[in-house]
Amino acid sequence: MMSSNDELSVPREDLAEAWQQTLPERLSGGDKAEVLADEADPRTLRVNIKTAGHQMLEFDFAVQYVDAREIDIQLTDVEKDGQSVDERTDIMQELIVDYRRHLHETAQALHHYTHP
């Protein structure tokens, strides 16, 4: 059970907005991100990242706050030009690892916001 001072107390719309402002600063040039609050779970954000260039890849992640400091990241979908693709290839795994790192960096950058 979480202690009350470790619980996430930021309104989900405010949290999504803070992520929307911070995540693009951590992505590679040209990559685009959209962050939305999950309607079903106030501790979860839905993150869509579109790669730059002609690859037309989109990665969807669910970022859930376990508590005010720790996040859990789940890859929910990878698409190329609107079609689901196999994310198990080496190139896809490298991109996924890279994006997961950027998501963790964003959460760390927002610690002052989520854990006052």
Side-chain angles (χ1 to χ4, degrees):
M1 175 123 178
M2 284 188 278
S3 65
S4 61
N5 48 335
D6 272 349
E7 287 183 34
L8 186 64
S9 60
V10 179
R12 67 176 156 193
E13 289 77 17
D14 293 350
L15 186 61
E17 180 62 30
W19 270 74
Q20 184 66 58
Q21 296 299 317
T22 307
L23 178 58
E25 298 169 0
R26 283 161 175 72
L27 295 175
S28 301
D31 287 354
K32 297 192 179 343
E34 182 179 19
V35 182
L36 299 170
D38 186 298
E39 295 298 320
D41 184 351
R43 297 176 303 145
T44 300
L45 299 171
R46 297 290 170 182
V47 179
N48 173 267
I49 299 174
K50 294 180 179 158
T51 59
H54 301 291
Q55 295 176 346
M56 299 184 75
L57 292 170
E58 285 189 50
F59 295 82
D60 291 321
F61 295 93
V63 177
Q64 183 181 57
Y65 273 83
V66 178
D67 59 30
R69 297 178 221 223
E70 184 182 347
I71 61 170
D72 178 59
I73 301 169
Q74 298 295 323
L75 177 70
T76 57
D77 193 26
V78 179
E79 292 185 353
K80 180 177 176 123
D81 203 14
Q83 301 292 318
S84 287
V85 296
D86 183 358
E87 71 272 4
R88 295 172 292 186
T89 65
D90 288 345
I91 293 171
M92 289 294 175
Q93 285 299 308
E94 286 177 30
L95 286 168
I96 291 165
V97 166
D98 200 37
Y99 288 136
R100 289 175 62 90
R101 187 180 79 247
H102 295 313
L103 293 170
H104 278 290
E105 289 170 356
T106 300
Q108 288 175 339
L110 293 172
H111 269 183
H112 70 282
Y113 189 69
T114 59
H115 192 73

